[in-house]
């Protein structure tokens, strides 16, 4: 069998970006995707920022299956009955600032771009083992079939079985991953635009913290598609086990919150999906390259979670581009050893991927503080109620009102130490 320059395992954003860059440079590239088509098995919330896509495909939004471009971001603190929001809408956002997409359409589009550049996309094939030659990775196996290649790129997502087989990283524990659950809820386009204050292709990305996760680290989201909403939750998997709660039950609670209930009123759920996310920051980095093999995207744990944003797609694609550039350089030198492919990690360190993970390296630990999801939303909403309600009694000063609202719920010591930790982490 022909030896490929590179085999990419997985046609998600990471794998297709890598395949596109290598194929465009004239390399022989094979992408193996276990789904019936790219995106068939994939899900996410759906909002991502534009710069990496723009670099690969200038003006991509004119052609790509984009649902809406994000013109409104909001974050809301929820208690059982209340919500307190910071809502930001701007006409100053560039057209390519951020987008909302559905994976089934988007992944197919991206894989098609790689195919048009010359890569072979083979679907319905699950790579289940690695091929070795003299101790170096030299391809992959699919059942009894072997596919030889000079460089294998693992882009097979959070559950990467081949990463463990290659000894690139250890398996994640429940503490290292978040569980995401999501429903796509169908609603007429004009209803969405009226409810969310949007016009034309404008879209809203709304995030929620508080009672929706019953104190479990994580949060909810509502993203506006063209004629549906993506409504979901992301929660710390180990905490759902400790709290003996299921993410699917939390999602039901979330949908029943007065604020969310109004957004989804009259809608019909047409899709339900669940997936894990590795949000470990710099704590668990893999070995990025070994002889003949590299690891990218979620398989490498390259996801940024700051509490305000969860960004995986750009990190996946940027890591795919960096790995592809390393393979192109290795091919020129005719050397696919760990030392040669190590150029990939150098590029990750020069670019935003490892720099931003480094900037927010304390965020994953800080965001495990359960007060962020219980006591603080309660305190903020209690203060808002005091500020906006006139029950006929004498008003007190803001600081006194705050101390009264904190009584029995949160100590001044916790408030101060948490504020200091937030400064260091965020
Ligand atoms: C609920 C939720 C919400 C999210 N929201 C956002 C968001 O709003 N914005 C954002 O930027 N990120 C978000 N993310 C994260 C984002 O989805 C990921 O970071 C991103 O998809 C990673 O891309 P990837 O290509 O590395 O992996 P994946 O998208 O997981 O793709 C892996 C691919 O490999 C294939 N595969 C797996 N094993 C094999 C095998 N053995 N052989 C062949 N093929 C294989 C899979 O079928 C899949 O197509 C969210 C994730 C979840 C779960």
């Amino acid at each position: 069998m022909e030896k490929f320059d590179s085999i990419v395992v997985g046609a998600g954003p990471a794998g297709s970006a890598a395949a596109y860059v290598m194929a465009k440079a004239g390399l022989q590239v094979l992408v193996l995707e276990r789904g019936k088509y790219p995106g068939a098995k994939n899900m996410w919330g759906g909002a991502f920022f534009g710069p990496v896509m723009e670099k690969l495909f200038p003006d991509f939004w004119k052609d790509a299956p984009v649902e809406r471009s994000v013109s409104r971001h909001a974050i809301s603190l929820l208690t059982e009955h209340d919500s307190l929001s910071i809502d930001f809408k701007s006409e100053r956002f560039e057209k390519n600032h951020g987008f909302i997409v559905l994976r089934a359409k988007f992944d197919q589009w991206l894989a098609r771009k790689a195919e048009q550049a010359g890569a072979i996309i083979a679907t319905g094939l699950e790579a289940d083992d690695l091929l070795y030659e003299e101790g170096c990775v030299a391809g992959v196996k699919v059942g009894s079939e072997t596919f030889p290649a000079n460089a294998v790129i693992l882009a097979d997502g959070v559950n990467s079985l081949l990463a463990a087989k290659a000894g690139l990283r250890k398996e994640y524990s429940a503490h290292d991953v978040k569980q995401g659950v999501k429903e796509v809820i169908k609603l007429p386009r004009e209803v969405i635009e009226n409810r969310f204050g949007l016009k034309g292709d404008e879209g809203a990305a709304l995030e929620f913290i508080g009672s929706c996760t019953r104190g479990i680290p994580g949060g909810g989201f509502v993203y506006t598609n063209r004629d549906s909403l993506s409504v979901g939750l992301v929660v710390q998997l180990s905490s759902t086990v400790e709290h003996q709660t299921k993410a699917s039950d939390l999602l039901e609670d979330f949908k029943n919150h007065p604020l969310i209930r109004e957004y989804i009123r009259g809608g019909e759920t047409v899709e339900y999906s669940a997936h894990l996310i590795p949000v470990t920051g710099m704590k668990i980095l893999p070995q990025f390259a070994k002889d003949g093999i590299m690891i990218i995207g979620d398989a490498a744990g390259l996801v940024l979670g700051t509490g305000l944003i969860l960004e995986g797609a750009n990190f996946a694609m940027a890591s795919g581009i960096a790995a592809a550039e390393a393979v192109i350089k290795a091919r020129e030198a005719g050397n696919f050893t760990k030392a040669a492919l190590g150029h990939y990690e150098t590029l990750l360190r020069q670019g935003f991927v490892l720099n931003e993970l480094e900037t927010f390296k304390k965020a994953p630990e800080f965001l495990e503080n359960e007060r962020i999801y219980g006591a603080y939303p309660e305190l903020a909403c209690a203060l808002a109620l005091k500020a906006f309600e006139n029950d006929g009694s004498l008003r007190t000063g803001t600081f006194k009102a705050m101390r009264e609202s904190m009584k029995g719920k949160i100590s001044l010591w916790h408030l101060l130490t948490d504020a200091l930790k937030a400064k260091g982490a965020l």
Side-chain angles (χ1 to χ4, degrees):
M1 177 174 277
E2 168 186 14
K3 190 166 193 178
F4 290 94
D5 290 314
S6 180
I7 291 182
V8 181
V9 181
S16 288
Y20 172 78
V21 172
M22 290 187 290
K24 202 163 165 243
L27 274 61
Q28 300 289 317
V29 181
L30 172 67
V31 182
L32 298 174
E33 167 53 49
R34 69 178 172 180
K36 262 196 234 153
Y37 55 87
K41 288 179 176 256
N42 301 343
M43 66 89 86
W44 65 9
F48 79 104
F49 299 97
V52 179
M53 278 291 288
E54 189 64 35
K55 196 173 142 205
L56 272 192
F57 311 107
D59 286 349
F60 73 95
W61 47 273
K62 290 182 181 161
D63 175 41
V66 164
E67 294 290 312
R68 288 174 183 275
S69 64
V70 184
S71 62
R72 180 183 165 206
H73 290 269
I75 176 131
S76 303
L77 303 177
L78 302 183
T79 67
E80 197 183 336
H81 303 289
D82 313 318
S83 56
L84 177 63
S85 307
I86 296 174
D87 202 325
F88 184 66
K89 191 160 193 284
S90 177
E91 289 185 348
R92 285 188 295 164
F93 284 135
E94 296 288 339
K95 184 70 188 167
N96 63 5
H97 147 77
F99 297 92
I100 299 168
V101 302
L102 292 166
R103 291 290 297 272
K105 293 185 207 166
F106 180 75
D107 285 15
Q108 285 186 79
W109 180 87
L110 200 55
R112 207 160 41 242
K113 286 282 175 198
E115 201 167 39
Q116 284 162 359
I120 299 171
I121 313 281
T123 53
L125 290 182
E126 181 161 350
D128 47 27
D129 212 342
L130 297 166
L131 196 62
Y132 285 89
E133 253 172 39
E134 295 170 7
C136 297
V137 173
V140 299
K141 294 184 187 172
V142 178
S144 57
E145 299 269 347
T146 56
F147 295 88
N150 286 320
V152 171
I153 298 182
L154 297 183
D156 47 347
V158 58
N159 293 321
S160 177
L161 297 175
L162 296 182
K165 284 196 176 183
L168 288 169
R169 70 157 164 80
K170 66 176 187 82
E171 275 181 44
Y172 292 127
S173 71
H175 189 77
D176 303 325
V177 290
K178 301 219 182 296
Q179 162 95 68
V181 284
K182 174 180 130 171
E183 286 185 16
V184 175
I185 299 178
K186 202 113 185 107
L187 273 171
R189 187 178 177 142
E190 41 314 337
V191 171
I192 292 176
E193 283 159 16
N194 285 338
R195 271 183 205 171
F196 291 85
L198 307 169
K199 54 182 190 310
D201 291 334
E202 286 179 347
L206 315 182
E207 322 286 342
F208 304 87
I209 285 182
S211 61
C212 54
T213 58
R214 297 189 204 153
I216 292 174
F221 60 85
V222 174
Y223 298 143
T224 56
N225 302 312
R226 208 169 286 230
D227 56 4
S228 65
L229 301 175
S230 290
V231 179
L233 282 176
V234 171
V235 279
Q236 180 81 35
L237 184 59
S238 54
S239 301
T240 57
V241 178
E242 281 156 27
H243 286 249
Q244 298 183 335
T245 307
K246 284 197 279 199
S248 53
D249 293 340
L250 297 176
L251 181 57
E252 281 310 308
D253 276 10
F254 181 51
K255 284 162 48 194
N256 281 320
H257 187 277
L259 184 68
I260 309 303
R261 201 168 52 216
E262 213 28 52
Y263 284 144
I264 63 176
R265 182 168 44 85
E268 183 201 353
T269 299
V270 291
E271 193 183 304
Y272 175 85
S273 52
H275 202 75
L276 296 178
I277 319 169
V279 194
T280 53
M282 296 294 269
K283 206 176 72 189
I284 306 181
L285 285 184
Q287 203 174 325
F288 286 105
K290 276 185 150 183
D291 292 340
I293 190 164
M294 281 173 291
I295 187 164
I296 63 177
D298 274 19
L302 299 174
V303 178
L304 179 70
T306 67
L308 289 181
I309 54 160
L310 176 73
E311 201 175 340
N314 272 329
F315 283 66
M317 291 179 64
S319 64
I321 296 167
E325 285 171 4
V327 175
I328 294 166
K329 195 164 182 258
R331 184 173 172 263
E332 280 163 13
N335 176 2
F336 296 91
T337 58
K338 178 182 168 185
L341 297 179
H343 182 57
Y344 162 47
E345 185 172 344
T346 307
L347 292 177
L348 286 184
R349 293 199 180 277
Q350 285 168 356
F352 72 87
V353 173
L354 290 182
N355 275 303
E356 288 191 8
L357 287 178
E358 174 67 29
T359 302
F360 294 100
K361 68 176 179 223
K362 291 188 180 157
E365 197 187 328
F366 171 72
L367 293 168
E368 283 174 19
N369 179 349
E370 294 195 355
R371 283 187 290 279
I372 297 172
Y373 313 94
Y376 289 125
E378 292 280 350
L379 175 62
C381 288
L383 275 174
L385 194 64
K386 279 206 162 82
F388 298 123
E389 188 186 54
N390 183 346
D391 60 5
S393 59
L394 275 181
R395 289 190 192 279
T396 53
T398 307
F399 192 70
K400 192 166 175 217
M402 187 165 149
R403 292 304 306 268
E404 276 168 10
S405 302
M406 283 167 60
K407 248 182 224 151
K409 293 185 189 124
I410 182 158
S411 66
L412 195 54
W413 169 251
H414 276 144
L415 187 72
L416 293 174
T417 52
D418 288 344
L420 272 179
K421 283 184 192 156
K423 183 175 166 282
L426 306 178

